[in-house]
Amino acid sequence: MRSALDKKELSATELTETYLENIAKTDSKIESYVTVTADIAKEQAKAAQELINSGKSSPLTGIPLAIKDNICTEGVKTTCASRMLENFIPPYNATVMDKLNAQNAVMLGKTSMDEFAMGSTTQTAFEKKTKNPYDLNRVPGGSSGGSAAAVSARLAPAALGSDTGGSIRQPSSFCGVTGLKPTYSRVSRYGLIAFASSLDQIGPIANSAEDCGYLLNAIAGFDRHDGTSANRAVPDFTSKCGQGVKGLKIALPKEFFEEGATDFVRKTVLAAAEKYKSMGAELIECSMPSLKYAVPAYFLISSAEAASNLARFDGIKYGHRSEKGSTYGELVLNSRSEGFGREVKRRIMLGNYALSSGYYDAYYGKACALRQEIRAEYNRIFETADVILTPTAPRTAFRIDENITDPKMIYYSDICTVTVNIASLPAISTTCGYDENGLPVGMSIVGKMWDEETIIGVTDTFERNFTKISAKAVK
Amino acid sequence: MPGYIPVIGLEIHAELLTRSKVFCNCSAEFGGDTNSRCCPVCSGLPGTLPVINETAVEYAVKAGFALGCSINKFSVFDRKNYFYPDLPKAYQISQLNLPLCINGLVPIEYEKDGEKHTHNVRINRIHLEEDAGKLTHNDLEGVSLADYNRCGIPLIEIVTEPDIGSAEEAKAFVEKVSLLLKYAGVCDCKMEQGSLRCDVNISLMKPTDTELGTRAEIKNLNSIKAIGRSIEFEIYRQAKALDMGQRIIQETRRFDDNRGETRSMRSKENANDYRYFPEPDILQVNITDDQLEGIHADMPEMPDKRLIRYMSQFGLSETDAGIIIADKEISDFYDDVVMAYNNPKAIANFIISEMMRRINLGEITIDDIKFSPENFAKIVELSESEQINKSNAKDVFRALIEKPETDAESLAKDLGYIISTDMGKVSEVIASVIATNEKAVEQYRNGEVKVFGFLMGQCSKALKGVATSKLIKDELEKALKI
């Protein structure tokens, strides 16, 4: 796409128009966008083309992108797919948006998600409950379901999502695209409406690991507005693409294949491992005993942080304000009761409970101890391995009408992804096969801290030797 | 109230004098138009993140040094969660388990019943946190409005051990802490503007009791006087209740300045559960030994040291030195004046007898003083070098207050105070006084020495800008002996 733009085979405006037309044609079925910013996109494309014409383009100049609707965009509604922020227009850009704008990338619109990024289905969105482009009766995964579905359905060539416990990787897996969760603190969180501050990371979703690398090149780096962002050099994340996997040590933690996957997913991911082996990699068996506690630990930590992060939505300064209530207390209570959906309320209650005096040690304290244990287990594995290979999700995309009443069932679908966030590691998911319904199966490559280059390279090697079947549901 | 021992601990909130707020770049200055000093970060808009102001950490450490604390090289911020409209994030970033400073000690001195007492108050901890906004209630329109200018101003909370036993000790302690923080240059301690605020925890016990009594907390006291009065009232209230066999309820109380009473705000049962947990948006604070040494080396001279310097280097008496150091601004001014004119004792005398007297009389405040230390020094110099009479120096000072820009010497000249030492004129005036006061001269010569004063006065009046008092006295004595 970059070379087509630079060689002027295609103008930035034409490219943007193509995606806007696709959106107009098919997004009513997929419902991946909350807001389409057609006017802004056209203007940005025009400005980008002028830069291209003058030979001053950057890697993302003129590239259209979809942005998850929890990333603040100045002057453009940022709703977190919640009634609470239905009309919230931030007066500032997230740092990642400033970085994309600096390269004159084009914003197509804001994509749907689980409300406040809490969920794995994008069905907790206030409106725009996104469908899976492979099968409109199935969920696209979540919480970045809108971004993954948009890329999958060719409604955007790439997108930004956010990942707190798998919210980039799992929908990428369900929608047959590639999604990367960077090392914690690699990308500034400034302007990302927080779900769980110690776990959240913004990352790219695209059609290939290499594209994810280009996008990460643009958004990574130290930001003085984010006290947790890492002050370290940003390498070229695509530098290991096309280099093969000869001599690479890939660890397979057995618990992920036992507790973490259905038979078909297990077989498909193991087949991918064999493929790596045939390309010269070495497979190592390993173990992560604490995986069985990972989901509860994740939910305690993330819900505790979320309960605090979401307390600011009181209907006083911005956001949904109830018309009922005569005192401050009543006003806050009613605004929050009306503004938040069920899942968000469930997690706020869980989080507050876990932090309550008398329960802190038993819940939040224990979860933090487990966090240390999971980190230690990863470190142990990385003493001998370069990367870790796991399924991205226990099963392929499920039907919209199943499961949804049992939150625990859905929570456990995050079992393969949450430990990566808990340990602050980078991980990338790509498609490694299709099930009997033609639904994509995802595998994840987990890397050492700060080693996105390797996992992008390893995934790129697989993708170059794998034939993708694109989504056809809405063709 | 005999029979009970008051046990008092204080929590002092002090706003730090950093230029910007603790977690964003907004100005931390007092005042300003409503909501003119806030941004998406300090007004808590979604997606924004706090970034720690390193100067605030440094100032908090300085406060720790000033109050004799140990500094935790490893310190953590926590979130204190509660809903209140002046708190836009619905949590306050504070410190719970690992505050910046711990284990301090503040010696105090105070007078009670005409006797001097000394006492030590231990500091449990000093932690760094952010201030909340301010609410204005308009009962007429039935609305409350929030001003977020104060939101995010760096605040230290100083928590004492329950080492205070009376209103006098509490007042002396707060005054001492104010002085130390001012000297450390970290807080202006203007209680009337809210940059220093105090909560009092107080309980009573009998001398035979082994456990502390149930305490009440009096919130948000904003003057030294209110601290003293509220403690006295609370001792009276609790003692009366205990005498009647009632139990003290653990609760938060408010002091009503007009009625001089404390009143219940909320009891423990309705207290908040703050659900503290480590703030994930701010990394742990690690202070290296080098940084600590740097901050320590950067500490301004503290009052105890300055007292010793004034005594040993300047030769001031302990009383005079103590009077000057008790007000940092005056003491700083004093040092500047001494720099301009090296006569520390004379300057100390003039500052104490003239300048501080006018301040104490309420004629001027230290903030009104616009004249330079050099110009002020000139008055003392003129007086000490006998270019003007000592008794006239205060008139020149008064003129200087009115015209701070004008050179003190020309002010003295305009007033006709500069001594010309015209001996002819002196003889002439003395001769004329002797001639016109024959009776008095007669009396003096007959041994009634006290009339000398009268004659001296007559001469001085006519010779005010001509000769020093000493010269007039000598010459008059000589003339009378003839």
Side-chain angles (χ1 to χ4, degrees):
Chain A
M1 203 171 279
R2 174 80 266 143
S3 79
L5 284 172
D6 287 342
K7 287 181 192 150
K8 318 246 174 76
E9 296 161 6
L10 183 70
S11 78
T13 302
E14 282 164 356
L15 187 61
T16 293
E17 295 279 6
T18 306
Y19 282 103
L20 289 174
E21 278 163 29
N22 287 354
I23 294 167
K25 246 188 285 172
T26 56
D27 200 45
S28 57
K29 290 177 205 152
I30 295 182
E31 299 193 276
S32 60
Y33 283 88
V34 176
T35 309
V36 178
T37 51
D39 293 343
I40 294 173
K42 285 174 198 168
E43 232 170 79
Q44 288 177 331
K46 213 172 119 195
Q49 189 57 46
E50 279 164 22
L51 278 176
I52 295 168
N53 291 344
S54 59
K56 285 180 192 157
S57 64
S58 311
L60 294 183
T61 305
I63 304 285
L65 297 170
I67 308 297
K68 188 176 179 179
D69 210 20
N70 59 352
I71 296 172
C72 286
T73 43
E74 189 177 345
V76 175
K77 271 201 282 186
T78 300
T79 70
C80 283
S82 176
R83 185 181 182 197
M84 182 57 89
L85 291 180
E86 207 179 348
N87 294 309
F88 177 63
I89 299 175
Y92 47 89
N93 265 331
T95 298
V96 291
M97 293 314 298
D98 282 338
K99 289 186 175 238
L100 293 178
N101 289 341
Q103 292 212 10
N104 286 79
V106 173
M107 177 167 75
L108 293 168
K110 306 294 296 286
T111 51
S112 193
M113 53 189 278
D114 280 296
E115 185 182 5
F116 282 103
M118 296 173 186
S120 319
T121 62
T122 315
Q123 304 309 299
T124 66
F126 173 51
E127 287 171 332
K128 304 286 181 185
K129 303 181 196 308
T130 309
K131 317 295 181 292
N132 191 316
Y134 281 84
D135 178 350
L136 294 178
N137 293 315
R138 291 179 186 269
V139 302
S143 67
S144 312
S147 287
V151 175
S152 172
R154 309 218 172 278
L155 306 180
L160 290 187
S162 70
D163 192 317
T164 305
S167 279
I168 286 175
R169 291 159 287 153
Q170 185 255 20
S172 295
S173 160
F174 280 17
C175 292
V177 294
T178 307
L180 168 71
K181 183 243 152 205
T183 309
Y184 183 77
S185 79
R186 176 68 97 178
V187 177
S188 167
R189 290 184 295 116
Y190 187 81
L192 171 67
I193 297 179
F195 162 15
S197 312
S198 74
L199 304 166
D200 295 342
Q201 265 294 285
I202 295 172
I205 296 173
N207 285 301
S208 70
E210 192 174 10
D211 280 357
C212 285
Y214 284 122
L215 209 45
L216 185 59
N217 281 346
I219 61 172
F222 175 67
D223 176 16
R224 62 189 178 83
H225 295 298
D226 177 357
T228 63
S229 90
N231 197 351
R232 57 189 298 143
V234 176
D236 175 5
F237 293 107
T238 63
S239 66
K240 290 191 178 170
C241 289
Q243 293 198 350
V245 291
K246 206 154 268 163
L248 187 90
K249 290 180 182 138
I250 303 176
L252 307 173
K254 63 174 197 272
E255 291 82 0
F256 282 82
F257 294 87
E258 287 163 4
E259 291 156 44
T262 58
D263 279 351
F264 186 81
V265 168
R266 173 167 52 239
K267 273 182 209 152
T268 311
V269 177
L270 286 175
E274 288 304 319
K275 199 162 176 184
Y276 273 125
K277 195 176 172 187
S278 72
M279 291 188 279
E282 186 190 331
L283 301 183
I284 304 170
E285 270 194 40
C286 67
S287 168
M288 180 168 283
S290 57
L291 183 69
K292 57 174 169 288
Y293 308 114
V295 169
Y298 166 77
F299 274 90
L300 285 169
I301 293 170
S302 64
S303 301
E305 291 180 11
S308 173
N309 283 330
L310 269 59
R312 71 184 65 195
F313 302 110
D314 54 10
I316 301 292
K317 302 171 293 296
Y318 51 80
H320 176 75
R321 184 191 279 214
S322 176
E323 286 170 5
K324 291 178 281 178
S326 54
T327 65
Y328 168 71
E330 283 171 26
L331 181 67
V332 173
L333 182 71
N334 292 330
S335 298
R336 288 169 67 81
S337 300
E338 294 163 12
F340 290 137
R342 283 177 66 89
E343 183 59 29
V344 171
K345 284 181 204 162
R346 184 170 13 240
R347 301 216 196 181
I348 290 173
M349 283 194 284
L350 174 65
N352 279 328
Y353 184 76
L355 291 174
S356 303
S357 70
Y359 297 97
Y360 183 95
D361 290 340
Y363 294 108
Y364 188 77
K366 273 245 170 72
C368 290
L370 207 68
R371 184 173 199 159
Q372 297 309 317
E373 179 54 30
I374 288 169
R375 280 188 176 154
E377 287 181 13
Y378 267 115
N379 286 339
R380 234 169 282 142
I381 295 171
F382 280 126
E383 280 170 14
T384 51
D386 299 309
V387 296
I388 296 169
L389 174 64
T390 73
T392 303
R395 45 183 295 207
T396 53
F398 37 89
R399 295 178 61 84
I400 289 170
D401 53 12
E402 66 179 308
N403 261 341
I404 208 135
T405 52
D406 183 359
K408 236 168 59 200
M409 203 42 201
I410 296 181
Y411 292 177
Y412 268 89
S413 72
D414 294 340
I415 188 161
C416 299
T417 46
V418 293
T419 55
V420 162
N421 300 75
I422 289 174
S424 308
L425 300 171
I428 184 168
S429 173
T430 193
T431 310
C432 62
Y434 298 89
D435 72 4
E436 70 276 16
N437 297 314
L439 298 169
V441 176
M443 66 168 180
S444 282
I445 303 285
V446 182
K448 296 176 183 170
M449 290 277 279
W450 314 114
D451 196 10
E452 288 89 349
E453 286 157 277
T454 299
I455 60 170
I456 288 170
V458 171
T459 306
D460 171 74
T461 302
F462 185 87
E463 287 175 348
R464 283 168 196 246
N465 294 284
F466 178 77
T467 314
K468 269 181 141 187
I469 304 167
S470 56
K472 53 186 176 291
V474 290
K475 279 279 152 71
Chain B
M1 204 60 57
Y4 296 104
I5 304 169
V7 179
I8 302 165
L10 301 184
E11 289 165 27
I12 297 177
H13 286 97
E15 286 182 348
L16 298 179
L17 281 171
T18 53
R19 257 188 302 136
S20 54
K21 292 184 176 180
V22 63
F23 300 121
C24 65
N25 286 324
C26 291
S27 165
E29 220 180 304
F30 175 75
D33 288 345
T34 306
N35 289 319
S36 64
R37 287 175 184 153
C38 52
C39 71
V41 176
C42 56
S43 53
L45 289 189
T48 59
L49 295 170
V51 177
I52 185 92
N53 175 346
E54 282 172 18
T55 310
V57 174
E58 190 186 307
Y59 280 20
V61 170
K62 278 186 175 175
F65 282 139
L67 271 49
C69 294
S70 312
I71 310 300
N72 272 332
K73 284 188 225 160
F74 173 78
S75 166
V76 172
F77 285 92
D78 298 278
R79 287 191 189 174
K80 179 180 182 181
N81 295 285
Y82 63 97
F83 286 101
Y84 204 68
D86 66 3
L87 191 68
K89 299 192 299 298
Y91 57 83
Q92 180 194 32
I93 303 176
S94 182
Q95 297 192 291
L96 180 67
N97 292 322
L98 285 165
L100 273 168
C101 319
I102 50 167
N103 298 339
L105 191 74
V106 175
I108 56 169
E109 282 173 28
Y110 63 99
E111 262 181 48
K112 192 179 180 181
D113 306 327
E115 266 180 64
K116 267 202 171 165
H117 298 262
T118 58
H119 185 63
N120 286 331
V121 177
R122 288 169 302 157
I123 305 292
N124 173 287
R125 59 188 283 152
I126 302 177
H127 67 250
L128 181 58
E129 59 187 27
E130 56 182 338
D131 210 343
K134 231 176 190 168
L135 294 181
T136 323
H137 305 286
N138 184 334
D139 290 336
L140 278 178
E141 291 178 37
V143 291
S144 295
L145 299 170
D147 178 2
Y148 295 134
N149 283 355
R150 207 177 64 180
C151 256
I153 288 183
L155 206 60
I156 49 172
E157 181 173 329
I158 302 162
V159 183
T160 74
E161 297 292 349
D163 289 351
I164 296 165
S166 66
E168 287 79 10
E169 283 185 2
K171 289 195 291 186
F173 174 76
V174 176
E175 275 170 352
K176 183 69 180 280
V177 166
S178 299
L179 186 70
L180 293 171
L181 295 181
K182 276 191 197 169
Y183 268 85
V186 299
C187 178
D188 61 15
C189 301
K190 291 182 179 164
M191 291 192 85
E192 70 284 3
Q193 291 185 357
S195 65
L196 193 89
R197 318 190 283 271
C198 186
D199 300 342
V200 171
N201 283 286
I202 175 167
S203 66
L204 299 186
M205 65 192 287
K206 285 199 170 133
T208 49
D209 286 349
T210 49
E211 274 177 37
L212 296 180
T214 306
R215 69 190 157 87
E217 182 177 15
I218 315 164
K219 282 269 185 203
N220 264 330
L221 297 161
N222 54 11
S223 73
I224 299 276
K225 213 170 143 195
I227 292 169
R229 289 173 68 212
S230 66
I231 289 174
E232 274 159 12
F233 175 81
E234 197 54 24
I235 291 172
Y236 161 79
R237 181 189 74 87
Q238 291 190 17
K240 199 166 110 186
L242 291 170
D243 282 344
M244 287 164 68
Q246 292 168 348
R247 284 179 52 199
I248 302 297
I249 305 162
Q250 188 173 340
E251 62 181 353
T252 305
R253 298 178 73 85
R254 188 202 320 266
F255 180 63
D256 181 336
D257 228 331
N258 296 324
R259 312 182 64 164
E261 292 173 9
T262 64
R263 278 196 251 158
S264 182
M265 280 168 75
R266 56 171 188 259
S267 73
K268 183 81 192 328
E269 286 74 47
N270 301 322
N272 280 313
D273 175 359
Y274 291 120
R275 290 162 283 123
Y276 277 100
F277 74 103
E279 164 60 279
D281 286 331
I282 297 174
L283 300 177
Q284 295 142 348
V285 180
N286 289 302
I287 308 176
T288 64
D289 286 333
D290 283 355
Q291 282 170 318
L292 267 191
E293 265 172 45
I295 297 171
H296 198 262
D298 196 37
M299 282 293 282
E301 183 183 42
M302 296 303 286
D304 296 354
K305 263 202 183 150
R306 197 173 273 191
L307 183 88
I308 292 166
R309 175 163 66 86
Y310 283 179
M311 287 161 64
S312 64
Q313 270 185 35
F314 292 170
L316 301 193
S317 69
E318 188 173 353
T319 316
D320 285 357
I323 290 171
I324 292 178
I325 63 142
D327 187 316
K328 176 167 189 285
E329 283 156 311
I330 286 175
S331 178
D332 287 346
F333 181 77
Y334 170 69
D335 273 331
D336 290 341
V337 178
V338 173
M339 286 284 276
Y341 171 52
N342 188 15
N343 192 340
K345 269 183 155 171
I347 293 166
N349 284 337
F350 196 69
I351 284 184
I352 293 169
S353 64
E354 267 315 302
M355 192 162 110
M356 291 184 76
R357 190 167 66 91
R358 307 244 161 256
I359 290 172
N360 291 339
L361 286 172
E363 289 177 17
I364 50 166
T365 70
I366 189 82
D367 295 331
D368 294 340
I369 288 172
K370 302 280 190 301
F371 46 80
S372 69
E374 291 76 17
N375 215 1
F376 180 84
K378 196 77 204 168
I379 302 177
V380 187
E381 195 177 352
L382 287 170
S383 155
E384 288 301 306
S385 61
E386 302 192 328
Q387 295 176 66
I388 60 173
N389 273 316
K390 282 211 166 76
S391 54
N392 291 332
K394 55 186 166 196
D395 291 340
V396 181
F397 176 59
R398 225 173 262 164
L400 186 64
I401 294 170
E402 299 300 320
K403 295 179 178 169
E405 307 291 337
T406 315
D407 179 58
E409 198 166 351
S410 36
L411 286 174
K413 225 172 251 167
D414 292 348
L415 289 165
Y417 289 163
I418 299 287
I419 290 161
S420 57
T421 323
D422 177 344
M423 289 309 285
K425 177 87 177 170
V426 173
S427 312
E428 192 184 306
V429 169
I430 289 175
S432 139
V433 167
I434 289 176
T436 49
N437 293 286
E438 271 175 33
K439 199 177 163 200
V441 172
E442 186 73 39
Q443 283 173 317
Y444 177 81
R445 286 181 174 150
N446 288 336
E448 280 185 58
V449 194
K450 61 182 179 185
V451 294
F452 184 79
F454 165 76
L455 294 168
M456 179 72 195
Q458 296 289 306
C459 295
S460 296
K461 220 188 216 170
L463 287 169
K464 68 173 182 180
V466 179
T468 64
S469 304
K470 190 170 179 298
L471 183 72
I472 298 168
K473 184 172 167 253
D474 292 350
E475 291 301 310
L476 180 62
E477 275 174 350
K478 249 192 265 168
L480 288 170
K481 276 184 191 140
I482 297 164

